[in-house]
């Protein structure tokens, strides 16, 4: 005769069912949370276009797309704008030559702007296609000879001051943060928010170390006061070709501490 279960023993199936239900609830919670997060709009900040701030000094260069639905040719203009939020100024316009991608922008020590476009041939590494030097003040454009073209993208702006203060931009787990870390390692959050999973942000110091230029699909100016103030400088910068503004080492924006255009 088969052994019968002791009357004091409890069947296992309620525990198994309970564990499955709990697991489904946990999965459902995270699924719903992420589904809601995907629809979350980008964080809102005041606009320097609406209210310029003359206390901010420096100049930002960026690339703005110009759409032409008839030709389907990507084109646009390099523009410069005062960090204070005055109107932008067009300094160089061009079209995509087919396989070109960029531009990478970098200010030279004398205040002129280096504009570099790259080619990305199939199954080959990125190469410099052309480079021009633009005098932002006068509008003069200098073509860099082929033999003097750089071999690789130039370094992006600094994230650490000479005094050792580091600006950190990070995203993950539907959260984004800008933080200031002092030389002794003490960290202070400048800004944080719940964001969508596809949101990302990165940041560099302005060369005068008085404010930070951040990129999240927009160009943002962030002061490091306590409390910090973040404002939108340019709502829709863009780039041509494969990497556009998505590759941090080849950003389609640049900043200098020099006031090269009218301030707000």
């Amino acid at each position: 005769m088969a052994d019968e279960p002791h009357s004091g023993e409890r069947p296992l199936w309620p525990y198994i069912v309970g564990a499955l239900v709990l697991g489904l609830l946990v999965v459902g919670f995270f699924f719903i949370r992420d589904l809601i997060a995907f629809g979350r709009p980008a964080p809102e900040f005041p606009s320097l276009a609406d209210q310029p701030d003359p206390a901010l000094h420096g100049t930002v260069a960026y690339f703005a797309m110009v759409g032409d639905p008839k030709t389907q040719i990507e084109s646009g203009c390099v523009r410069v704008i005062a960090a204070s939020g005055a109107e932008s100024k067009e300094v160089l316009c061009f079209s995509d030559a087919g396989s070109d991608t960029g531009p990478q922008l970098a200010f030279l020590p004398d205040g002129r702007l280096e504009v570099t476009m790259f080619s990305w041939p199939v199954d080959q590494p990125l190469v410099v296609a052309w480079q021009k030097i633009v005098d932002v003040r006068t509008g003069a454009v200098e073509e860099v000879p082929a033999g003097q073209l750089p071999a690789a993208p130039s370094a992006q702006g600094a994230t650490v001051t000479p005094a050792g203060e580091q600006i950190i931009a990070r995203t993950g787990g539907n959260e984004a943060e800008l933080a200031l870390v002092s030389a002794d390692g003490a960290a202070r959050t400048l800004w944080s928010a719940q964001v969508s999973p596809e949101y990302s942000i990165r940041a560099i110091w302005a060369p005068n170390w008085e404010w930070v230029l951040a990129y999240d699909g927009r160009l943002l100016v962030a002061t490091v006061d306590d409390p910090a103030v973040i404002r939108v400088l340019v709502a829709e910068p863009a780039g041509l070709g494969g990497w556009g503004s998505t590759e941090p080492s080849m950003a389609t924006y640049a900043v200098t501490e020099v006031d090269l255009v009218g301030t707000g």
Side-chain angles (χ1 to χ4, degrees):
M1 188 171 96
D3 293 335
E4 295 183 358
H6 298 291
S7 59
E9 292 182 354
R10 296 182 178 179
L12 294 177
W13 68 264
Y15 298 99
I16 296 173
V17 171
L20 289 173
V21 170
L22 180 60
L24 289 173
L25 289 174
V26 171
V27 170
F29 168 79
F30 286 105
F31 175 79
I32 294 172
R33 185 200 65 177
D34 292 343
L35 188 63
I36 293 173
F38 267 109
R40 186 174 288 138
E44 294 186 1
F45 303 107
S47 171
L48 282 165
D50 296 335
Q51 189 171 358
D53 184 354
L56 293 168
H57 292 282
T59 305
V60 175
Y62 66 98
F63 186 76
M65 293 287 290
V66 177
D68 188 342
K70 294 182 180 179
T71 63
Q72 298 296 309
I73 295 175
E74 287 189 315
S75 62
C77 298
V78 176
R79 308 186 71 89
V80 291
I81 186 171
S84 60
E87 290 187 10
S88 63
K89 172 185 175 182
E90 182 181 291
V91 296
L92 180 67
C93 297
F94 53 89
S95 300
D96 181 6
S99 61
D100 288 354
T101 182
Q104 184 182 40
L105 306 177
F107 279 104
L108 300 175
D110 61 7
R112 294 183 300 162
L113 182 65
E114 188 179 75
V115 181
T116 309
M117 283 293 287
F118 299 84
S119 291
W120 210 335
V122 178
D123 298 327
Q124 295 184 38
L126 194 72
V127 294
V128 175
W130 57 260
Q131 186 178 80
K132 300 178 190 290
I133 307 297
V134 181
D135 189 322
V136 173
R137 292 186 176 95
T138 66
V141 179
E142 174 189 341
E143 185 87 31
V144 177
Q148 299 178 20
L149 293 175
S154 58
Q156 203 186 357
T159 58
V160 183
T161 71
E165 290 183 306
Q166 184 176 9
I167 189 72
I168 294 177
R170 52 192 167 209
T171 54
N174 299 330
E175 294 183 356
E177 179 185 36
L178 276 179
L180 180 66
V181 181
S182 63
D184 61 7
R188 174 167 64 90
T189 296
L190 303 176
W191 164 82
S192 64
Q194 294 289 314
V195 295
S196 64
E198 65 269 25
Y199 181 87
S200 65
I201 189 169
R202 56 183 183 263
I204 56 175
W205 282 101
N208 56 15
W209 317 113
E210 294 177 358
W211 53 272
V212 169
L213 180 66
Y215 176 81
D216 73 345
R218 304 163 293 183
L219 288 174
L220 312 172
V221 170
T223 64
V224 294
D225 306 319
D226 191 6
V229 177
I230 301 178
R231 287 163 286 186
V232 177
L233 179 65
V234 179
E236 296 182 352
L240 296 175
W243 51 264
S245 299
T246 63
E247 172 54 49
S249 67
M250 297 184 286
T252 57
Y253 53 85
V255 59
T256 176
E257 75 275 17
V258 183
D259 290 326
L260 298 173
V261 292
T263 59

